[in-house]
Amino acid sequence: MTLPSTYADRNCSVARALEIVGERWTLLIIRDAFFGVRRFGDFANQLKIPRAVLTNRLKFLVKEGVLIRDDDATGGVEYRLTAKGVALWPVVRALMNWGDAFYSPSGVKRAERHDQDGGLLDHDGRCEDCGLVVPVPEIRIEPGPGFDLTDSDHDPVSGAINTPHRLLEPIMRPRTLSAAEGELSATRAAERAHR
Ligand SMILES: [Zn+2]
């Protein structure tokens, strides 16, 4: 559902940007792409989003040049952020910081570090150790003090996302995931059998 475009919005870049990223799920898809999710099935598992909705969102983001759809090394399809997409990191970071400040009393849920020297990043993305404004591919993301493991999903995709790693770095080898997905469907089949 796109936000209605009004006359007043035509001169507002916030409204224009929200026409691209303001739909339900879209920013979460983009967040996961930063965290290294690339495959349709991984987005679907991680976000618990209806597949038809995910298809629409991905198509739209590709059309808008935020994501690129590409063949991966194994003949599958993957979605990666373009430069235009990567330029959204400050938006995701600002939302993260805002959420931490007002809704995470025990501290930040995820911390950003400069991968090279381990320095923490401030709200503007500047490394507190070396003073550099750290480019996105050199940012390491890791669970912070406010991150509650017991509240987190324990599927392989979430596990990989929650392991400290650099942004945009793909989270997982396809074979590992297929095995994991196999396990998951086996578990589901077992659950059905028990009902
Ligand atoms: Zn640094």
Side-chain angles (χ1 to χ4, degrees), residues 113-121 127-131 134 140:
R113 285 185 190 275
H114 188 186
D115 192 50
Q116 225 165 23
D117 56 24
L120 273 172
L121 269 55
C127 172
E128 289 178 354
D129 272 17
C130 70
V134 181
R140 193 203 314 157

Side-chain angles (χ1 to χ4, degrees), residues 30-159:
I30 290 168
R31 174 204 64 185
D32 280 359
F34 276 110
F35 289 170
V37 177
R38 289 188 174 184
R39 297 163 67 93
F40 185 94
D42 292 354
F43 283 111
N45 287 344
Q46 164 68 11
L47 293 167
K48 317 278 186 283
I49 170 177
R51 293 197 161 227
V53 177
L54 180 59
T55 302
N56 283 341
R57 295 296 181 271
L58 289 171
K59 259 191 198 160
F60 180 72
L61 289 171
V62 169
K63 180 175 139 282
E64 290 297 329
V66 173
L67 293 176
I68 187 164
R69 185 184 191 275
D70 218 349
D71 296 333
D72 71 8
T74 64
V77 168
E78 64 177 24
Y79 296 87
R80 280 177 287 117
L81 289 159
T82 61
K84 182 179 174 182
V86 171
L88 283 166
W89 179 247
V91 176
V92 178
R93 166 191 287 140
L95 282 171
M96 242 168 47
N97 292 339
W98 188 81
D100 283 338
F102 293 103
Y103 298 99
S104 184
S106 44
V108 303
K109 300 252 185 230
R110 294 179 200 277
E112 284 180 276
R113 285 185 190 275
H114 188 186
D115 192 50
Q116 225 165 23
D117 56 24
L120 273 172
L121 269 55
D122 69 12
H123 285 190
D124 298 320
R126 194 175 290 278
C127 172
E128 289 178 354
D129 272 17
C130 70
L132 193 79
V133 175
V134 181
V136 169
E138 292 171 31
I139 296 173
R140 193 203 314 157
I141 196 94
E142 61 184 38
F147 189 90
D148 185 355
L149 258 180
T150 57
D151 230 10
S152 167
D153 284 340
H154 295 288
D155 60 282
V157 178
S158 302

Side-chain angles (χ1 to χ4, degrees), residues 1 21-27 29 49 53 57:
M1 203 164 51
V21 299
E23 291 183 312
R24 181 162 161 75
W25 299 110
T26 299
L27 265 180
I29 293 168
I49 170 177
V53 177
R57 295 296 181 271

Side-chain angles (χ1 to χ4, degrees), residues 182-195:
E183 267 173 39
L184 195 64
S185 27
T187 312
R188 283 190 188 135
E191 280 170 357
R192 273 196 295 274
H194 278 287
R195 270 183 214 143

